[in-house]
């Protein structure tokens, strides 16, 4: 048995190796065919190669300079630095706290940009220099950092009293703690040319810039340099070789290459210009190096081809071995878990196919088993939609935010510019009590007919609801504003009526409310449709009854029970906007649209005061705070003018209740968010911590909790949790020698891989690089 397994293993590896070996010989064969021609063309390509190398060097430097420009902008716009540069005494009183807070908030930019040796913010008004480590008085700073042969006064005139806009100055020698450093100063003046407040000074490590030039192959006697648009050499390689700066007339255009004599030696000069920073990158090579490179390339190519063939063959065998291992494990898993009979390894893919066939069969069984569950989920969704429509039409939803959450939960999308409610009354087929079983079945059939006809005529998702009065309620959405929307709705309803008569011989009466521009106004539209249904005199079947066509001289006032409930609910929710809209609508209908007799107006006012008393019993508000708003409660309504005074007093009372409830809500929200933050600060290391767990802990729905968290803290829950975990991980990386895997688990991550991805996305580097850069920076800071 063991011999059989070994033989099969070798056969499988050989089967995987053959395609790799074939693919390996194809590029090697093509390489041999093109080799001679490549050598012949190499001379012409050297110029292009030199320009390309110079372009890469320039792009790399430009990228670093872009980062530095971004750092300068961040520091310049830092509100803490802007605040400090206005002060004259920052090392006294409470200003010291601002200095400490600013220095601790500054980032150690050399961790992410190795070109930066150090940086400082010079505050001219207060004579203080600070960075992420500490703050110095200006004189002490210059004693500690000396720039070339400049005196303190000369340094201040050159760096602080002149206006610079992200200016790169030529390389200068800086002495710090007795050590010399070659640096390139980058200066950004704070303030305006006529009102200089200080300067941001970033010191670039000149050796890092020179390393880009050092990587260019200059050869014996060659040189390279970078010059600014004023002709000043910023840095050069070799470091002391600056006397060979070429005339600007020779360096025309953005890039190029030419041969010239320099100091008695024939040189090939290649140059490239940076359009953004207006720098010129120049490299000069002895001409003989170019020819030597051709022969060197030939020898190097031959060697590489031989080595590549050997390494490729070894790599093909290794890759074949590695790729065959998952196949073997897959075969073993199929045999153990699915129960497929084992077959020889040379027929491995046949065995996998048999296993997949059995897996598909099992999946079909599982799919059929889940069909019932899916159907029950659909039924549950219909119950959710019914509940949503019921609460929406009755005005039991207090705010738009709550409505959005319910719409999302019920997976219902109601969108449009205008909305209204249409009621299809089926009064011909019996109402409520006394209906027989057959009559109820017939009523269900008629309801289905109405729904199908509406859906067919509407042409898109129709939002339909059945109320307690055996009526079909149709929520209509429309795009646009005003205009002929009423005519379009009338045509739609006429098509529905025609379809009901021609196909089902069903007669119905349709009532329509006014148009509204907000979903929160649908309860009003619903009430208007019901008023249209009861307020019109039906002359014949299949009428369309419009609320706007109701008689103006109606003998009853408009203040239905659900309006009273909504007023109370909106007041308790603190929604002043909805309260104002409802009271304005009640005023328009009862005092403007309807020509009510005076005694009806009196009854309306007394009825609305009754609602005020009901609300007063339900809210916890001190009686003294509302005494002024209900002072008219006991006074008789003797005229329309008195009624309007009472109406205004009622409005003021509702506003006061809203203010009180919003104040209590804010206090409650503050307590809740503090409890949530405290819980997260204590439990962020828990790998199971999630929005779901948090919602269960505080008994709040996930959708509302997510929205509440973002509103209160201005940051998403996931971002806040990631910030706490990564902040803890950074401290561990700096203060301990624990492994990355252990730190990721301690910080609350399920795996080191997810920790690596999150850390690199936020910090721009891996945890290992972060720890390494921090250690280097720490050694530099504490070197005596």
């Amino acid at each position: 048995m063991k011999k059989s397994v070994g033989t099969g293993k070798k056969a499988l590896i050989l089967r995987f190796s053959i395609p790799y070996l074939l693919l390996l010989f194809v590029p090697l064969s093509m390489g041999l065919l093109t080799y001679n021609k490549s050598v012949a063309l190499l001379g012409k390509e050297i110029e292009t190669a030199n320009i390309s190398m110079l372009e890469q060097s320039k792009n790399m430097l430009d990228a670093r300079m872009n980062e530095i420009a971004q750092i300068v902008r961040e520091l310049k716009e830092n509100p803490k630095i802007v605040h400090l540069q206005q002060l004259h005494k920052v090392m006294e009183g409470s200003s010291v706290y601002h200095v400490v807070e600013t220095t601790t908030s500054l980032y150690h930019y050399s961790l992410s940009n190795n070109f930066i040796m150090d940086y400082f913010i010079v505050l001219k008004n207060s004579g203080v220099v600070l960075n992420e480590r500490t703050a110095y008085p200006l004189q002490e700073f210059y004693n500690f950092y000396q720039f070339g042969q400049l005196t303190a006064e000369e340094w201040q005139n050159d760096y602080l009293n002149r206006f610079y806009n992200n200016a790169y100055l030529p390389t200068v020698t800086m002495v710090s703690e007795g050590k010399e450093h070659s640096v390139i100063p980058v200066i950004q003046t704070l303030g305006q040319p006529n009102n200089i407040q200080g300067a941001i000074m970033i010191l670039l490590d000149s050796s890092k810039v020179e390393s880009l030039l050092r990587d260019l192959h200059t050869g014996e006697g060659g040189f390279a340099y970078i010059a600014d648009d004023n002709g000043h050499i910023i840095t050069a390689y070799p470091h002391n070789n600056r006397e060979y700066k070429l005339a600007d007339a020779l360096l025309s255009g953005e890039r190029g290459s030419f041969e010239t004599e320099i100091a008695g030696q024939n040189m090939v000069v290649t140059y490239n210009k940076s359009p953004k920073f207006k720098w010129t990158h120049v490299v000069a090579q002895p001409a003989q190096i170019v020819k030597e490179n051709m022969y060197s390339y030939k020898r190097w190519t031959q060697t590489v081809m031989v080595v590549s063939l050997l390494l490729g063959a070894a790599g093909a065998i290794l890759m074949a071995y590695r790729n065959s291992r998952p196949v073997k494990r897959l075969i073993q898993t199929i045999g153990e878990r699915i129960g497929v009979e084992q077959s020889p390894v040379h027929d491995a893919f046949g065995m996998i196919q048999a296993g997949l066939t059995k897996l598909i069969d099992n999946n079909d069984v599982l799919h059929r088993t889940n069909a019932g569950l899916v159907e029950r989920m659909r039924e549950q969704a219909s119950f959710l939609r019914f509940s949503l429509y019921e609460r929406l039409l009755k005005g039991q939803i207090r705010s738009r935010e709550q409505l959005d959450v319910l719409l999302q939960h019920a997976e219902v999308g109601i969108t449009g510019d205008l909305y209204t409610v249409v009621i299809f009354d089926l009064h011909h087929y019996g109402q409520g009590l006394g209906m027989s079983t057959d009559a109820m079945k017939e009523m269900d059939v008629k309801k289905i007919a109405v729904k199908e006809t509406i859906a067919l005529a509407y042409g898109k998702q129709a939002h339909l609801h059945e109320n307690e009065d055996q009526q079909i309620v149709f929520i209509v959405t429309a795009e646009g504003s005003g205009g002929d929307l009423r005519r379009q709705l009338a045509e739609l309803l006429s098509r529905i009526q025609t379809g009901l008569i021609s196909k089902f011989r069903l007669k119905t009466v349709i009532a329509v409310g006014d148009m509204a521009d907000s979903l929160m106004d649908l309860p009003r539209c619903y009430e208007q449709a019901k008023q249209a249904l009861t307020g019109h005199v039906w002359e014949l079947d299949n009428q369309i009854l419009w609320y706007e066509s109701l008689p103006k001289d109606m003998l009853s006032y408009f203040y239905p029970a659900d309006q009273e409930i909504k007023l109370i609910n909106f007041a308790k929710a603190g929604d002043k906007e909805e309260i104002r809209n409802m009271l304005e609508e009640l005023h328009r209908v009862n005092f403007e649209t309807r020509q009510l007799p005076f005694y009806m107006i009196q009854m309306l006012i007394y009825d609305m005061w009754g609602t005020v008393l009901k609300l007063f019993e339900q809210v916890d508000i001190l009686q003294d705070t509302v005494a002024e708003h209900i002072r008219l409660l006991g006074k008789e309504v003797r005229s329309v003018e008195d009624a309007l005074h009472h109406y205004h007093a009622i409005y003021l009372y509702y506003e006061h209740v809203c203010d009180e409830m919003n104040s209590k809500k804010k206090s409650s929200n503050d307590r809740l968010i503090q409890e949530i933050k405290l819980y997260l600060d204590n439990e962020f290391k828990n790998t199971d911590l999630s929005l779901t767990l948090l919602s269960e802990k505080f008994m709040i729905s996930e959708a509302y909790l997510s929205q509440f968290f973002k509103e209160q803290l201005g940051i998403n829950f996931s971002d806040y949790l990631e910030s706490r975990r990564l902040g803890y991980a950074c401290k561990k990386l700096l203060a301990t020698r624990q492994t990355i895997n252990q730190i990721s688990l301690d910080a609350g991550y399920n795996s080191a891989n997810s920790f690596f991805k999150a850390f690199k996305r936020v910090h721009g580097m891996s945890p290992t690089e972060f720890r390494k850069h921090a250690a280097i920076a720490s050694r530099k800071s504490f070197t005596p």
Side-chain angles (χ1 to χ4, degrees):
M1 176 63 71
K2 289 183 180 181
K3 183 177 180 180
S4 175
V5 172
T7 304
K9 185 183 297 185
K10 293 177 182 178
L12 190 60
I13 294 175
L14 180 61
R15 184 172 180 177
F16 274 91
S17 300
I18 291 175
Y20 288 114
L21 293 173
L22 291 175
L23 288 175
L24 176 64
F25 278 102
V26 168
L28 286 175
S29 300
M30 295 299 295
L32 287 173
L33 292 175
T34 59
Y35 169 69
N36 291 326
K37 188 174 182 180
S38 298
V39 172
L41 294 175
L42 181 60
K44 296 180 180 179
E45 293 297 327
I46 285 181
E47 177 182 339
T48 304
N50 285 343
I51 293 178
S52 176
M53 290 177 62
L54 208 57
E55 179 73 13
Q56 292 177 10
S57 174
K58 184 206 71 169
N59 290 339
M60 185 179 300
L61 187 59
D62 283 357
R64 292 296 188 178
M65 296 306 105
N66 282 330
E67 293 176 12
I68 292 167
Q70 177 63 29
I71 291 170
V72 168
R73 284 195 295 272
E74 289 178 4
L75 293 173
K76 183 180 178 182
E77 296 170 3
N78 188 314
K80 295 179 177 147
I81 295 175
V82 173
H83 173 70
L84 287 177
Q85 71 187 37
Q86 307 295 328
L87 303 179
H88 288 76
K89 296 182 179 181
V90 299
M91 302 304 288
E92 298 178 10
S94 61
S95 297
V96 175
Y97 168 78
H98 294 299
V99 173
V100 175
E101 184 184 24
T102 302
T103 56
T104 55
S105 68
L106 294 177
Y107 181 68
H108 202 317
Y109 290 107
S110 61
L111 294 179
S112 57
N113 190 321
N114 62 352
F115 275 42
I116 297 176
M117 178 176 292
D118 212 336
Y119 73 98
F120 306 93
I121 297 96
V122 183
L123 305 176
K124 183 177 180 181
N125 288 336
S126 57
V128 171
V129 182
L130 54 87
N131 60 10
E132 82 283 357
R133 300 185 301 277
T134 185
Y136 311 83
L138 189 56
Q139 184 59 46
E140 182 180 340
F141 168 78
Y142 187 77
N143 292 337
F144 194 73
Y145 297 91
Q146 295 181 4
F147 293 82
Q149 302 299 322
L150 296 178
T151 64
E153 182 178 358
E154 291 172 341
W155 175 85
Q156 188 166 350
N157 287 332
D158 286 349
Y159 288 78
L160 192 58
N161 292 339
R162 294 183 182 178
F163 187 85
Y164 295 97
N165 184 19
N166 198 28
Y168 290 77
L169 304 185
T171 303
V172 66
T173 299
M174 180 193 73
V175 179
S176 173
E177 298 181 344
K179 293 185 178 180
E180 291 187 354
H181 304 276
S182 182
V183 297
I184 300 174
V186 182
I187 308 296
Q188 171 63 55
T189 301
L190 299 175
Q192 302 299 325
N194 58 351
N195 183 22
I196 295 176
Q197 302 289 329
I200 297 169
M201 181 170 62
I202 298 180
L203 303 180
L204 305 184
D205 190 345
S206 178
S207 64
K208 299 295 183 182
V209 181
E210 288 179 15
S211 67
L212 297 178
L213 302 179
R214 194 180 303 117
D215 292 338
L216 301 172
H217 183 51
T218 58
E220 184 67 24
F223 60 92
Y225 67 83
I226 298 174
D228 62 17
D229 56 337
N230 294 320
H232 299 132
I233 293 182
I234 295 176
T235 187
Y237 176 78
H239 184 67
N240 59 352
N241 200 351
R242 300 188 176 208
E243 63 275 22
Y244 294 142
K245 179 183 178 301
L246 302 176
D248 292 340
L250 296 174
L251 308 176
S252 60
E254 291 186 3
R255 60 179 62 85
S257 180
F258 59 89
E259 190 170 341
T260 186
E261 184 175 325
I262 300 175
Q265 187 175 7
N266 198 25
M267 307 285 282
V268 176
V269 177
T270 306
Y271 65 94
N272 202 338
K273 296 183 180 180
S274 172
K276 181 172 182 179
F277 294 97
K278 299 181 180 180
W279 289 357
T280 302
H281 301 245
V282 179
V283 59
Q285 302 169 282
Q288 64 269 20
I289 290 181
V290 175
K291 298 177 182 179
E292 290 177 0
N293 285 343
M294 294 178 60
Y295 298 115
S296 175
Y297 172 76
K298 185 175 182 180
R299 293 191 298 271
W300 178 83
T301 303
Q302 292 172 343
T303 302
V304 166
M305 290 182 66
V306 174
V307 173
S308 298
L309 179 61
L310 297 176
L311 292 178
I317 296 174
L318 177 62
M319 292 295 294
Y321 172 73
R322 293 187 60 183
N323 289 341
S324 66
R325 291 171 62 189
V327 175
K328 289 182 287 184
R329 287 197 296 267
L330 181 60
I331 293 171
Q332 184 178 1
T333 302
I334 290 175
E336 293 177 353
R337 301 296 179 88
I338 303 179
V340 177
E341 185 178 353
Q342 297 247 3
S343 60
V345 179
H346 66 267
D347 194 26
F349 294 101
M351 182 178 180
I352 294 175
Q353 183 177 6
L356 287 176
T357 302
K358 187 169 183 179
L359 183 62
I360 293 172
D361 293 339
N362 293 340
N363 184 65
D364 290 339
V365 174
L366 181 62
H367 180 74
R368 289 191 296 271
T369 304
N370 290 337
L373 178 60
V374 172
E375 186 62 30
R376 288 195 294 273
M377 291 176 65
R378 289 176 180 171
E379 293 175 359
Q380 181 67 21
S382 66
F383 291 139
L384 289 174
R385 287 194 293 272
F386 178 87
S387 174
L388 170 64
Y389 293 143
E390 185 79 6
R391 295 182 62 186
L392 177 60
L393 294 173
K394 289 186 176 181
Q396 296 175 352
I397 299 176
R398 297 183 177 183
S399 65
R400 181 58 198 245
E401 291 75 14
Q402 182 185 13
L403 175 59
D404 291 338
V405 172
L406 293 173
L407 288 171
Q408 181 180 2
H409 183 56
E411 298 182 354
V412 173
I414 307 179
T415 58
D417 297 322
L418 293 175
Y419 312 89
T420 192
V421 174
V422 178
I423 296 177
F424 288 79
D425 188 80
L426 306 176
H427 66 285
H428 293 285
Y429 299 97
Q431 298 182 9
L433 298 175
M435 291 184 66
S436 65
T437 302
D438 292 338
M440 292 182 67
K441 289 181 179 179
E442 184 179 1
M443 175 64 75
D444 291 337
V445 172
K446 300 303 180 183
K447 288 179 182 178
I448 294 173
V450 171
K451 292 180 180 179
E452 289 182 353
T453 306
I454 293 173
L456 184 63
Y458 194 51
K460 51 186 176 181
Q461 183 183 7
H463 304 286
L464 303 174
H465 176 64
E466 297 180 26
N467 64 14
E468 296 121 350
D469 298 324
Q470 302 297 329
Q471 296 167 338
I472 302 298
V473 181
F474 176 24
I475 300 174
V476 180
T477 63
E479 304 293 336
S481 59
D484 59 349
L485 291 179
R486 185 184 186 281
R487 178 182 58 80
Q488 295 176 11
L489 180 58
E491 292 176 355
L492 170 67
L493 297 178
S494 296
R495 289 200 305 271
I496 294 173
Q497 281 185 329
T498 302
L500 289 172
I501 293 174
S502 62
K503 189 173 182 179
F504 302 103
R505 300 186 180 278
L506 175 61
K507 298 178 180 180
T508 182
V509 175
I510 302 174
V512 187
D514 279 345
M515 286 284 182
D517 58 5
S518 172
L519 279 175
M520 298 301 295
D521 289 334
L522 280 182
R524 173 175 60 81
C525 301
Y526 182 47
E527 288 299 326
Q528 291 173 346
K530 290 197 293 186
Q531 289 179 55
L533 198 62
T534 58
H536 279 285
V537 177
W538 295 1
E539 299 175 353
L540 52 111
D541 292 329
N542 301 315
Q543 276 186 281
I544 299 178
L545 309 177
W546 301 87
Y547 172 75
E548 61 186 38
S549 301
L550 280 174
K552 305 301 181 184
D553 56 348
M554 297 182 67
L555 297 179
S556 62
Y557 61 84
F558 173 64
Y559 190 53
D562 64 329
Q563 292 287 92
E564 179 182 60
I565 294 172
K566 284 192 288 184
L567 277 173
I568 292 175
N569 288 337
F570 283 138
K572 291 194 289 187
D575 195 337
K576 294 172 70 172
E577 182 70 19
E578 291 296 336
I579 290 287
R580 182 172 66 253
N581 292 339
M582 288 189 63
L583 291 178
E584 286 178 354
E585 177 66 13
L586 289 172
H587 182 276
R588 184 185 66 81
V589 173
N590 293 292
F591 287 88
E592 298 175 15
T593 303
R594 301 190 178 192
Q595 300 176 5
L596 297 175
F598 177 67
Y599 73 89
M600 277 292 170
I601 293 177
Q602 286 179 309
M603 294 178 65
L604 170 64
I605 295 299
Y606 294 146
D607 200 358
M608 293 185 72
W609 273 120
T611 305
V612 168
L613 293 177
K614 293 178 184 178
L615 176 60
F616 184 72
E617 294 175 355
Q618 297 181 30
V619 295
D620 183 18
I621 300 178
L622 296 177
Q623 186 170 353
D624 294 342
T625 65
V626 297
E628 181 181 352
H629 300 292
I630 61 175
R631 67 185 187 281
L632 295 180
L633 179 59
K635 294 185 178 181
E636 185 177 355
V637 181
R638 299 179 178 178
S639 64
V640 175
E641 185 177 355
D642 285 347
L644 292 174
H645 282 306
H646 278 261
Y647 201 91
H648 183 65
I650 292 171
Y651 173 73
L652 292 178
Y653 172 76
Y654 279 114
E655 272 202 335
H656 178 75
V657 172
C658 286
D659 290 338
E660 291 287 331
M661 299 309 293
N662 284 329
S663 177
K664 291 183 177 182
K665 186 193 301 183
K666 184 178 184 304
S667 176
S668 176
N669 287 346
D670 290 342
R671 288 195 302 272
L672 178 58
I673 196 63
Q674 291 303 322
E675 292 177 6
I676 292 175
K677 284 183 62 180
L678 180 61
Y679 179 78
L680 291 178
D681 291 343
N682 291 332
E683 297 294 328
F684 71 88
K685 300 178 185 178
N686 182 2
T687 56
D688 295 328
L689 184 59
S690 63
L691 193 63
T692 302
L693 183 64
L694 197 64
S695 68
E696 293 175 356
K697 167 69 177 178
F698 290 93
M699 294 181 290
I700 303 173
S701 70
E702 287 187 47
Y704 176 76
L705 179 59
S706 176
Q707 181 182 357
F708 173 78
F709 197 94
K710 180 66 178 292
E711 288 176 353
Q712 296 297 317
L713 297 182
I715 184 175
N716 293 326
F717 165 78
S718 57
D719 292 339
Y720 181 87
L721 181 58
E722 183 178 73
S723 174
R724 290 290 291 113
R725 286 174 171 173
L726 291 181
Y728 174 81
C730 286
K731 293 180 181 178
K732 284 283 188 178
L733 287 168
L734 297 175
T736 71
R737 294 186 177 180
Q738 288 182 324
T739 63
I740 304 298
N741 186 57
Q742 183 60 49
I743 291 176
S744 68
L745 295 177
D746 290 346
Y749 286 91
N750 288 313
S751 67
N753 186 41
S754 59
F755 170 63
F756 264 89
K757 290 180 179 178
F759 196 97
K760 191 161 188 177
R761 185 180 67 253
V762 172
H763 293 285
M765 63 179 72
S766 68
T768 304
E769 292 172 332
F770 178 84
R771 174 179 270 174
K772 180 180 178 181
H773 284 302
I776 294 173
S778 177
R779 287 196 296 270
K780 286 184 177 180
S781 300
F782 293 98
T783 300

